[in-house]
Amino acid sequence: MRLRRRSHDNLSALPRDPRADEYPMPSVPYGWYALLRSSELRPGRVVSLHYFGRALIAFRGADGQPAVRDAHCPHYGAHLGAGGKVVDGTVECPFHGWRFGADGRCVEAPFAVRTPKVSIGGFPVREHSGLVFVYTGPGEPSWEVPEIPETVSRGFATPVDDTCRARIHIQEMRENIVDESHFHFIHGQSEPPVQDLRADGPFAEVRGRIRRRVLGRDIDNTFDAFMYGPGVMVVRAHGPVLSVTAVALTTPIDDRTSEMRMLYYVRKPSRAPFLAPVLKLVFRAEALDEVREEVRIWDHKIHQARPVLLPHEKGIKALRRWYAQFYPSDVPSEVTATSSPYRPVERGVDGQQPAVHAQGRAGDPGRVP
């Protein structure tokens, strides 16, 4: 079969079909999301964010730990990120000087006889792997995103950091990894890869193989995609020329728009680590344009609750069954293409012990020297 590559640049001129903004499932699945890198949240600074359809702020408390709270002061509605500042580990409102701690509680209100018992909402927060994560969902989180060793390993170069936004639900961003057929048309693979998806509770693993030409050479890479809930995926691609760990962070911005932030960690050649910058340039030239092409397509596609799938396209339905657990139990089964509400699985799809373990490590996520 002759390799085909297409350009979708002309999609930007198409009028937008209203159905492209219609999704039957909630826009914010329950789970962990990385909202910013640790280096972007310096002590003493208030960072304004907008995710989950909400104005948010992030800052570090007196102990240096990050906090992510709602942005508007309950006193008179001022945006705490628009002129607010960090004072003694609290965020101070720029309008009337009210201060709020990292836990959201008001700790000072000038001219008040008693400090008002009010708070600004927020999220459970974790920080590791150079990222600040927040949890959305009812109650306290029952699972955690494991640490990503490549992010702190000297064996990997500093990441290529690439962020895109698209008019698409984050579930469909995640479905991309199991959409076997698109690997031919977008990523230059000669035929759809054979993949194996295994799931265990909020964790899942997809294994596959990528065969393509890079700079005139045939490259044969294996990959393992480790999924930690709806918002975090770590893809490890291993090959004879280039090995890359991609940290894929998908986050809802509002009910129509999602963000995909990709952090690509290129492994330094063991015998020639000084070549890492060259490998990063090659990776940028080969990979980032393909991501842009996908985003242009996402911006105009519509959600098919019951897509017409070919016999080999089993991954999308399998992923939707796994993904359904991150929605409220009253979401109709036909919305997520699963016939019953989620129940934790004890065995993998082949009846054997699953490749993903409940402590949050999918198979062997890769020990990095």
Side-chain angles (χ1 to χ4, degrees):
M1 183 176 184
R2 185 172 63 88
L3 183 64
R4 300 175 65 190
R5 300 300 302 275
R6 294 178 173 177
S7 173
H8 300 276
D9 291 338
N10 61 334
L11 282 179
S12 60
L14 289 176
R16 185 170 178 80
D17 191 312
R19 292 176 299 170
D21 291 325
E22 295 176 357
Y23 288 93
M25 56 276 203
S27 61
V28 184
Y30 299 153
W32 289 99
Y33 299 93
L35 300 192
L36 68 170
R37 296 175 66 182
S38 296
S39 59
E40 296 168 338
L41 188 58
R42 298 193 300 269
R45 181 186 176 195
V46 181
V47 176
S48 295
L49 304 168
H50 189 98
Y51 292 103
F52 320 124
R54 298 163 65 175
L56 305 171
I57 57 166
F59 65 99
R60 294 189 181 275
D63 58 359
Q65 295 302 305
V68 178
R69 316 300 307 184
D70 285 324
H72 293 107
C73 179
H75 172 220
Y76 205 52
H79 194 299
L80 299 172
K85 58 184 178 180
V86 175
V87 179
D88 298 329
T90 68
V91 61
E92 182 180 275
C93 176
F95 208 4
H96 302 98
W98 288 32
R99 295 181 182 178
F100 300 87
D103 61 357
R105 290 185 294 180
C106 181
V107 296
E108 183 176 335
F111 313 117
V113 176
R114 299 182 184 86
T115 302
K117 294 183 178 180
V118 295
S119 300
I120 50 176
F123 303 86
V125 176
R126 303 285 189 270
E127 183 177 24
H128 63 74
S129 306
L131 297 167
V132 177
F133 300 89
V134 302
Y135 179 80
T136 66
E140 291 298 313
S142 60
W143 56 276
E144 302 286 337
V145 175
E147 294 185 7
I148 305 167
E150 292 90 335
T151 61
V152 295
S153 171
R154 293 184 178 180
F156 287 79
T158 56
V160 176
D161 189 343
D162 185 57
T163 301
C164 299
R165 292 188 171 189
R167 300 288 290 270
I168 192 173
H169 193 286
I170 65 165
Q171 176 181 310
E172 295 209 358
M173 286 181 164
R174 180 65 59 85
E175 289 175 10
N176 204 59
I177 194 67
V178 293
D179 178 6
E180 296 96 336
S181 295
H182 97 285
F183 281 89
H184 169 76
F185 289 92
I186 302 297
H187 301 295
Q189 177 145 329
S190 59
E191 59 185 25
V194 176
Q195 296 183 342
D196 178 28
L197 186 149
R198 300 187 178 192
D200 183 14
F203 312 111
E205 177 184 356
V206 175
R207 296 182 179 181
R209 182 178 294 274
I210 292 287
R211 297 182 179 92
R212 58 177 296 172
R213 290 186 68 81
V214 177
L215 299 179
R217 295 189 58 183
D218 290 322
I219 302 297
D220 189 351
N221 284 22
T222 61
F223 73 86
D224 293 276
F226 302 95
M227 294 181 276
Y228 307 118
V232 182
M233 179 172 66
V234 179
V235 182
R236 295 180 172 92
H238 308 282
V241 177
L242 185 65
S243 292
V244 179
T245 294
V247 181
L249 308 171
T250 50
T251 309
I253 296 174
D254 51 39
D255 59 359
R256 294 183 176 183
T257 312
S258 300
E259 179 181 274
M260 182 174 69
R261 186 172 194 175
M262 301 293 298
L263 300 173
Y264 301 99
Y265 291 86
V266 175
R267 182 184 284 275
K268 298 177 182 177
S270 58
R271 296 183 180 180
F274 58 87
L275 291 177
V278 176
L279 293 178
K280 288 173 66 174
L281 288 174
V282 171
F283 180 82
R284 280 181 175 273
E286 289 292 321
L288 298 193
D289 283 348
E290 295 173 7
V291 174
R292 294 296 184 274
E293 192 169 4
E294 288 175 320
V295 169
R296 286 191 289 269
I297 295 171
W298 289 345
D299 265 333
H300 291 272
K301 79 179 296 296
I302 64 171
H303 175 72
Q304 296 283 20
R306 295 187 179 276
V308 180
L309 299 175
L310 300 176
H312 72 276
E313 296 174 323
K314 301 177 181 179
I316 292 175
K317 189 171 182 180
L319 188 136
R320 287 187 179 187
R321 284 196 299 267
W322 171 76
Y323 209 95
Q325 66 184 286
F326 305 115
Y327 297 116
S329 58
D330 59 352
V331 173
S333 60
E334 62 267 19
V335 166
T336 50
T338 182
S339 59
S340 62
Y342 163 74
R343 296 290 184 272
V345 296
E346 298 297 330
R347 296 286 172 182
V349 293
D350 57 358
Q352 303 300 313
Q353 187 67 28
V356 187
H357 302 290
Q359 66 265 33
R361 294 200 177 269
D364 180 4
R367 290 187 176 87
V368 178

